[in-house]
Every structure is written in structure tokens, then in C-alpha cells.
């Protein structure tokens, strides 16, 4: 496995919005100017790649596949920790065709030594990758979203695959169809989250485990900007063009925001985190968060 912070992206060559499997997707708007939309998507992808590099990541870019437009969201391809990858199983037939090309991409990463091993989920168990199973480097466990896409049982599969605790959170709305739309752990131990996305029981779990000083409540506007869907490394946060609220809140806590216009991908229901997959996550690299939280206290890589 690799130890340098490394992100997998997928080329937007075959990206479009041609079906709708979440309430943000707008194939009609895309169809009003497909060439212009595609041009903007390619430009947005390049800006994201630059922002990720500037934030300190090495970036691997895999090819997309014709007819599988949502492959640009590799956060859904697999869960990766300690060099081991568990490949996703998609709930909707529209995305199930990504499983074979992603399996080939992961085989290639294994041959190159970027990851060590790959495994599959049991039959009938849906799990949509790191979008629904997010590593918390400060607490040393996964947070798993379930309901709209991933199965509840997937949390237990991940716990046995990786030998780490997995805290399951039920998602209550189609708007937050993956956990990463409404939930983001940061290097200082803060959790940025949108409370109405969760069932009362999930909120209880979250609030039991995360003290109030480390909880950052996102507004509906923050959610609509897809800014909760952020990529964090130390004090760097790569995200969509965000709101004054989050700019102030994260700025005060010592984070440096790198905002990228990702509107062509928001049209498919995705932001910065969805478009990335961390390949180097390690359960050994526990991060020390200060009692008051904040990027300044983050000692080790997120
Ligand atoms: N159109 C894609 C879908 O509905 C967007 C996926 C965004 N990825 C994510 N991790 N939230 O599946």
C-alpha cells in the first residue's frame, strides 16, 4: 500500500446526466446543452485536480467507460483501508455496470502495488463505497450510511473485512442518499453534518459520540451547495463554491478552503468528495485532535 496521501479520480470523458436516480439529477437541463455542459464538466474536473494537488494529494486518474456516466464518482467504487479494497455493489441497475470496469481499475492498482488486496461483498448486500462508509481518522472507526443505497448489513461486513468498528447511521431522506452528502469528519475531530438528513436514532448516536464543541451543523444552503461533501487533508479543505456560513465557520477553526466550481457535477448530485477516493487510508495513522478541535491541533494526516 501507499503512504503518501493519494486520491483516485475518474476522467470525465463519458460523463453526462442522462438518467435520474437521486432528486438532484436533472437530465432535462443537461439535454438543453449537452456539449456546453460537457465542456464545463471537463473544465471543472481540471480545476478539481489542481486544487487536490495544491492541497497536498498525489492524484491517480483512471479512465471512464462509455455508457457509465457516474463513474466520475469513484467514492462509490470501493471502501479502502490499510491497502485492502472492498468493491462496491450498486443498488440501481443504472450504476451496476460500473462494477466490472472498477474491478479492472482496482486490479490495475493492485498490480502496481498501490493497494494489496481486493474483495467482494456477499450476494444481495448493497454497499456504495466510501460515499457510504467514511473513515474517521481521529476516532479510528468508520461511519456507515444506510437506507437509500447501502444495506444495513453492509456495516457488519465492513467491520469484519477491516477489523475496525463501524458505526451505522440511518439516512432519512432521498436528498441525502449517500452519507457523504450530509456528513464529513475533519482533521481536528469536528464533524460537519446536516441534521435533518438523519433518523432520530442516528442523530442520537452521532451526538453521543461527538461532543457539541466538535459538531458543526450545516444549513440547508450548505447542503444545496454540496459543501458538506468536502475533501480534507490537515488544514486543507477542497470543496464546491461554498456559503458565507461555512467560509466563516471553517475559517475560524483554522481550515483553509479551496473552492472549486463543480456545478456540472452537482447536476448529478455530486460534490468534491464524491469525485474522489482516498487510496492510502491507514488505521495506524490515528490523528490527535485537541480537546477544542480545530485544524491547528491536527497532528497526523487525516
Ligand atoms: N449520480 C450519482 C448517483 O446518484 C451521484 C453519486 C455521487 N456520489 C456520492 N458519493 N455521493 O449515484
Amino acid at each position: 500500500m501507499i503512504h503518501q496521501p493519494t486520491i483516485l479520480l475518474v476522467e470525465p470523458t463519458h460523463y453526462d446526466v442522462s438518467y435520474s436516480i437521486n432528486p438532484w439529477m436533472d437530465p432535462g437541463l443537461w439535454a438543453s446543452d449537452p456539449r456546453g455542459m460537457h465542456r464545463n464538466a471537463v473544465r471543472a474536473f481540471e480545476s478539481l485536480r489542481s486544487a487536490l494537488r495544491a492541497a497536498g494529494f498525489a492524484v491517480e486518474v483512471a479512465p471512464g467507460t462509455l455508457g457509465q456516466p457516474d463513474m466520475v464518482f469513484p467514492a462509490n467504487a470501493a471502501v479502502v483501508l490499510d491497502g485492502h479494497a472492498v468493491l462496491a455493489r450498486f443498488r440501481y441497475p443504472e450504476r451496476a455496470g460500473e462494477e466490472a470496469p472498477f474491478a479492472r481499475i482496482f486490479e490495475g492498482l493492485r498490480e502496481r502495488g498501490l493497494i494489496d488486496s481486493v474483495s467482494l461483498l456477499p450476494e444481495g448486500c448493497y454497499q456504495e463505497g466510501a460515499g457510504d462508509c467514511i473513515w474517521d481518522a481521529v476516532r479510528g472507526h468508520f461511519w456507515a450510511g444506510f437506507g437509500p443505497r447501502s444495506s444495513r448489513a453492509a456495516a457488519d461486513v465492513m467491520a469484519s473485512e477491516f477489523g475496525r468498528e463501524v458505526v451505522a447511521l440511518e439516512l432519512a431522506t432521498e436528498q441525502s442518499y449517500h452519507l457523504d452528502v450530509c456528513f464529513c469528519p475533519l482533521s481536528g475531530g469536528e464533524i460537519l453534518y446536516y441534521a435533518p438528513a438523519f433518523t432520530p436514532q442516528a442523530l442520537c448516536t452521532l451526538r453521543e459520540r461527538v461532543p457539541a464543541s466538535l459538531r458543526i451543523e450545516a444549513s440547508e444552503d450548505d447542503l444545496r451547495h454540496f459543501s458538506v461533501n468536502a475533501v480534507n487533508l490537515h488544514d486543507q479543505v477542497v470543496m464546491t463554491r461554498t456559503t458565507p456560513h461555512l467560509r466563516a465557520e471553517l475559517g475560524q477553526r483554522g481550515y483553509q478552503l479551496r473552492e472549486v466550481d463543480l456545478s456540472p457535477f452537482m447536476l448529478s448530485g455530486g460534490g468534491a468528495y464524491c469525485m474522489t477516493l482516498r487510496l492510502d487510508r491507514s488505521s495506524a495513522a490515528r490523528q490527535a485532535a485537541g480537546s477544542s478541535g480545530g485544524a491547528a491541533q491536527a497532528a497526523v494526516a487525516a
Side-chain angles (χ1 to χ4, degrees):
M1 69 170 285
I2 27 160
H3 298 285
Q4 184 190 7
T6 303
I7 269 178
L8 178 71
L9 299 178
V10 174
E11 269 171 9
T13 322
H14 302 295
Y15 174 67
D16 65 23
V17 184
S18 48
Y19 54 75
S20 180
I21 53 171
N22 73 56
W24 308 95
M25 292 181 86
D26 193 342
L29 188 55
W30 183 277
S32 67
D33 178 20
R35 298 184 73 164
M37 292 279 178
H38 194 265
R39 215 173 18 248
N40 292 342
V42 171
R43 208 173 292 141
F45 177 87
E46 292 306 335
S47 312
L48 177 66
R49 173 164 37 187
S50 307
L52 291 168
R53 286 200 176 127
F57 291 106
V59 178
E60 285 286 323
V61 183
T65 297
L66 183 65
Q68 296 301 150
D70 280 341
M71 277 184 80
V72 292
F73 301 112
N76 299 123
V79 180
V80 183
L81 184 74
D82 296 332
H84 180 56
V86 180
L87 299 184
R89 178 166 301 115
F90 290 91
R91 180 164 301 263
Y92 290 117
E94 285 86 343
R95 295 200 68 180
E98 298 178 29
E99 289 169 19
F102 271 127
R104 287 193 289 276
I105 289 170
F106 277 87
E107 187 47 32
L109 295 172
R110 199 188 58 76
E111 279 164 11
R112 291 171 52 214
L114 292 173
I115 54 167
D116 304 324
S117 53
V118 178
S119 67
L120 299 175
L121 288 156
E123 279 302 314
C125 181
Y126 297 107
Q127 203 290 322
E128 300 202 352
D132 257 343
C133 191
I134 303 179
W135 179 246
D136 185 327
V138 172
R139 295 174 183 82
H141 68 73
F142 283 109
W143 298 92
F146 71 96
R149 297 289 179 91
S150 300
S151 314
R152 169 68 184 79
D156 301 330
V157 175
M158 291 301 158
S160 70
E161 283 280 346
F162 294 103
R164 308 299 305 196
E165 187 186 10
V166 179
V167 179
L169 300 174
E170 186 171 8
L171 301 172
T173 67
E174 283 297 322
Q175 192 188 41
S176 293
Y177 57 95
H178 284 139
L179 183 63
D180 65 2
V181 174
C182 56
F183 181 95
C184 181
L186 297 170
S187 62
E190 303 92 339
I191 302 282
L192 170 63
Y193 73 112
Y194 180 62
F198 296 91
T199 62
Q201 198 193 335
L203 270 186
C204 227
T205 304
L206 198 160
R207 289 175 177 159
E208 260 165 34
R209 288 180 172 253
V210 183
S213 62
L214 292 178
R215 298 196 300 253
I216 306 176
E217 292 244 4
S219 67
E220 190 176 358
D221 196 30
D222 301 334
L223 189 87
R224 292 195 167 282
H225 280 73
F226 272 90
S227 295
V228 183
N229 194 259
V231 180
N232 170 226
L233 181 65
H234 311 302
D235 67 339
Q236 302 287 303
V237 181
V238 178
M239 55 161 57
T240 50
R241 289 259 157 79
T242 194
T243 61
H245 164 241
L246 273 189
R247 242 176 241 137
E249 178 69 44
L250 297 179
Q252 267 164 25
R253 291 179 185 256
Y255 292 99
Q256 192 193 329
L257 305 194
R258 295 183 182 272
E259 298 180 36
V260 184
D261 178 1
L262 294 176
S263 43
F265 298 100
M266 289 159 66
L267 214 56
S268 189
Y273 179 94
C274 306
M275 296 181 68
T276 65
L277 180 64
R278 278 287 289 274
L279 299 176
D280 60 289
R281 288 289 198 189
S282 151
S283 61
R286 283 288 285 276
Q287 197 173 312
S291 53
S292 61
Q297 275 96 7
V300 192

